Each structure stands twice: as structure tokens, then as C-alpha cells.
Amino acid sequence: MDKLWKKNLRDIEPYVPGEQSKEINIVKINANENPYPPSPKVTEAIRNFESSKLRFYPDANAFTFKKAMAEYFNTDAENIFIGNGSDDVIALCFQAFFNSQKPIVYPDITYSFYPVWCRLFHIPYKNYPLKSNFRIDIEDYKEENGGVIIPNPNAPTSLGEGRAFIEKLMEYNKDSIVIIDEAYVDFGGYSSVELTKKYENLIVTGTFSKSRSLAGMRIGYAVGNRELIAVLEAVKNSYNSYTVNSISMAAGTAAINDKDYFHKTVSQVIATREKVSNALKELGFTVLDSQTNFLFATHKTKNMKEYFEWLKTQKVFIRYFNLPKIDNYVRITIGTDKEMDRFLEKTTEYIHL
């Protein structure tokens, strides 16, 4: 007979991140990490951090960090929320804003953490299928709902939408909270941050993991009107007032203040992305028009799962999703030019097998 207490265990299928291989000398382009180190000012901030301060709790309000963020986004500190990575921020948003009996809505092909949170927090949800070209059909989002979340650019498709799309989305959803997840926006997408001043029900989330090379620091943020941010703070403070540590805040402040380094590394990633995209197309791949730090691609004659598995034997790690509609696509993070040259060398070898 089963023990009765086992019936009270949460039965949930968790999010599965990209493979973290322990092999050495690999090309790891499967987790959308930035190939370049953080700003030298981040290194300096960490080196100069007084370790004796670690005996104190971090600033629960992240005042200095929020002030730097507000200056960058041309808003006020009261419009900024800081969390332990954008996953933490979005999870808090789900708890803070999605409390209707109506289902929240998002695309059927998107960030796979969304359904995990819905199941974890008992939030009803509904998916709208992407169009055949992997674009979001804005007309789907006219229906009444309990909230909307859309990544822009979307993942794993890499496609982004412009201001007109966001404005129409907001007009269709005046009675719902709309979250725009901008994890990849710095690589060529349209940012809706400025629209948070126009729409009180719009909140934009972002991360320092991608364009600012701080995935190991776990820094995420949200931008929105003061009422939404205050509710987020209240939810955070209901279970953990100190979600972001002191060193992360020092590193984040240094990163956001170094605009020159930020623009330099983002431009490098974009240039490499375009070069690799063109090279893949010459090898017979179909590559979507990316506005992210990765490419989403398929091939007219080759099986992408077999390609993914073969690359692993060559110590080149990309991402494959065994999911409907995209099970013959791969996601390729943009690495350094040297890493991508190795990737293209092995890809060319595979295509000619």
C-alpha cells in the first residue's frame, strides 16, 4: 500500500534547461549565453567589493541599482523592479497579476517555462498557434482573457514584432495585464519599455543574462507603472525580501553604467549572427530572421535531430526541441567567431556526409 503522505507531493513536469556538458574543449552554443565576458567595470566592482559587508543583508529595495536602471530607461526608480533573474521576476508576475478565473494566453511555441508556472501556481491558460511562418497572429489576442504574456523577440523562433504590433495588442487587452518578456530585445528587437508610460496595464521584463553577460549573477528586472511594481514588491516581500544579493547588485550597477562596452559586445554578436546565418543558408538551411543572440534553423534534406546528435559527437552542442511543429529545427546560440567557425566547419562536414 502506498504511503498516504505521497499523495500530497507536487506532481509537476519541470522546465528542462539546455544540456550542461562537463566535457572539456567543447563549443557550447546551446544555452543562449553571451560569448563575451562582462564589462571590465563589473570585474572592478566585484574586485573592490568589501567582503565584510556580506555579513549584512542586501538592500531589499536595491536603491542604488534601481536608480542606475531608471536613468538608463529614462524613468523613475519606483517604476523598476529587481529580481533574481528574469525567471524569478516572471514567476512573481504570474503570482501577482494572473489571479483571474479566466485563462491567461500566450503562443503555443514559446518559452517552455510558462506552462510550468501555470501548473505550479494553478493558473488556467490557453495557447494560440503561431502562423505557418512562426509569426504571432495578433487577431487571436482579441478574445477575453485573464492576462497575456508574449516574449518579444520570441523564443525559440528568434522573431520579433514592432511597435504597431504591441500597440494593437494593448488596444485589444485593455482589461488584462500584458507582460512583454524582453530577454533578447537588445540584439535587434523593439523594446516596449517606453510604452509602459502610455499603458498602465503593461509590464516589461528583462534580464542581464544575455546582452550583459551576467547569467551567473542571476539579475532580472521589470519596468511598469508604480502600482504594478508595488504589487510585485509586496509579493516578493511576502516570501523573500532579499532576492538579489549585494555582489549581484554591485555588478549589475556597473554593467548598466558601461554603455560603450554593452554596445560593442552586442554589435559583435549581431555581426557574427548575420555571418553565420548567411553561411548556413549557403549550405541549404532555412534560417529565420533573428532579432536575438541565436538562430532558429532547419534544412531541406537533413534530419535536425540526427544533426544535433552528430554535432554532440564532435563536441559541438546546440539545442534541439522534440516538440510538435519544431521537431525538425535546431536553435544555435551565437558564440565567438572562433567558436562559430568550428561550428560551421563541422556543419559543412555533416551536410556532405
Side-chain angles (χ1 to χ4, degrees):
M1 180 177 177
D2 288 340
K3 292 181 173 63
L4 293 177
W5 57 263
K6 291 187 177 182
K7 294 182 179 180
N8 293 323
L9 300 180
R10 180 63 61 87
D11 182 15
I12 191 167
E13 184 178 342
Y15 169 77
V16 179
E19 183 175 354
Q20 301 293 321
S21 174
K22 292 182 172 56
E23 293 191 51
I24 59 174
N25 299 320
I26 67 170
V27 175
K28 184 179 182 295
I29 48 175
N30 67 340
N32 295 346
E33 296 152 324
N34 198 309
Y36 302 107
S39 159
K41 293 184 178 180
V42 170
T43 304
E44 183 181 356
I46 295 173
R47 183 181 294 121
N48 294 335
F49 188 87
E50 295 181 41
S51 60
S52 62
K53 291 183 178 180
L54 292 177
R55 63 195 177 93
F56 300 115
Y57 285 111
D59 176 8
N61 293 316
F63 178 77
T64 301
F65 191 12
K66 284 183 180 179
K67 185 177 179 181
M69 292 282 288
E71 182 178 344
Y72 179 82
F73 285 121
N74 189 29
T75 188
D76 298 321
E78 292 82 3
N79 300 109
I80 304 290
F81 177 84
I82 304 295
N84 186 26
S86 64
D87 289 339
D88 177 53
V89 174
I90 299 171
L92 287 167
C93 285
F94 272 50
Q95 296 174 79
F97 307 134
F98 295 158
N99 294 293
S100 167
Q101 298 300 312
K102 303 168 188 174
I104 70 164
V105 294
Y106 54 85
D108 64 337
I109 300 173
T110 192
Y111 188 28
S112 54
F113 230 137
Y114 299 161
V116 174
W117 287 319
C118 286
R119 291 190 292 267
L120 183 63
F121 303 137
H122 303 291
I123 298 170
Y125 65 96
K126 179 179 180 180
N127 298 139
Y128 292 121
L130 296 182
K131 294 188 283 189
S132 60
N133 62 357
F134 291 114
R135 290 285 180 182
I136 297 170
D137 189 343
I138 188 64
E139 298 305 316
D140 288 335
Y141 295 82
K142 294 173 70 173
E143 293 185 7
E144 190 176 9
N145 58 66
V148 180
I149 182 164
I150 289 178
N152 191 40
N154 196 8
T157 67
S158 80
L159 299 175
E161 304 293 344
R163 178 172 182 143
F165 176 96
I166 302 299
E167 294 256 33
K168 182 172 284 190
L169 179 67
M170 298 310 301
E171 290 301 314
Y172 286 168
N173 292 277
K174 294 179 179 179
D175 297 321
S176 301
I177 301 294
V178 176
I179 303 171
I180 303 298
D181 178 355
E182 292 190 349
Y184 301 100
V185 74
D186 294 324
F187 298 101
Y190 167 75
S191 177
S192 302
V193 166
E194 190 64 23
L195 292 180
T196 62
K197 298 175 183 178
K198 180 177 180 180
Y199 299 103
E200 293 182 339
N201 58 324
L202 172 64
I203 194 153
V204 175
T205 64
T207 179
F208 277 50
S209 296
K210 314 300 181 186
S211 58
R212 299 187 189 276
S213 307
L214 288 174
M217 280 293 181
R218 311 309 302 129
I219 302 171
Y221 62 87
V223 185
N225 80 63
R226 296 184 182 193
E227 184 176 1
L228 295 183
I229 298 301
V231 173
L232 270 181
E233 295 284 359
V235 171
K236 180 201 75 167
N237 291 335
S238 295
Y239 82 97
N240 184 359
S241 297
Y242 307 103
T243 56
V244 183
N245 69 70
S246 299
I247 298 176
S248 288
M249 285 191 278
T253 302
I256 201 73
N257 285 332
D258 194 348
K259 296 179 182 178
D260 290 341
Y261 184 83
F262 165 73
H263 290 301
K264 175 185 175 182
T265 53
V266 166
S267 296
Q268 286 176 312
V269 170
I270 292 173
T272 303
R273 180 188 73 199
E274 296 310 301
K275 182 182 74 173
V276 174
S277 177
N278 290 333
L280 287 173
K281 290 174 183 176
E282 290 179 3
L283 290 170
F285 282 83
T286 298
V287 185
L288 274 64
D289 188 14
S290 175
Q291 293 185 345
T292 64
N293 68 335
F294 61 87
L295 297 171
F296 196 58
T298 188
H299 194 275
K300 56 187 176 183
T301 61
K302 296 293 185 177
N303 181 284
M304 291 296 93
K305 183 177 182 180
E306 293 176 3
Y307 167 58
F308 158 77
E309 296 289 356
W310 185 86
L311 283 180
K312 285 173 65 175
T313 68
Q314 306 300 304
K315 294 190 175 183
V316 177
F317 288 76
I318 61 175
R319 190 79 190 267
Y320 171 76
F321 299 90
N322 189 20
L323 297 170
K325 299 183 182 180
I326 60 171
D327 57 356
N328 201 39
Y329 282 78
V330 289
R331 192 191 71 189
I332 306 151
T333 302
I334 300 303
T336 62
D337 285 329
K338 182 178 180 181
E339 289 173 323
M340 302 317 291
D341 286 345
R342 175 70 172 167
F343 159 75
L344 288 171
E345 174 191 337
K346 289 300 176 181
T347 295
T348 302
E349 186 178 335
Y350 177 80
I351 293 299
H352 292 108
L353 286 177

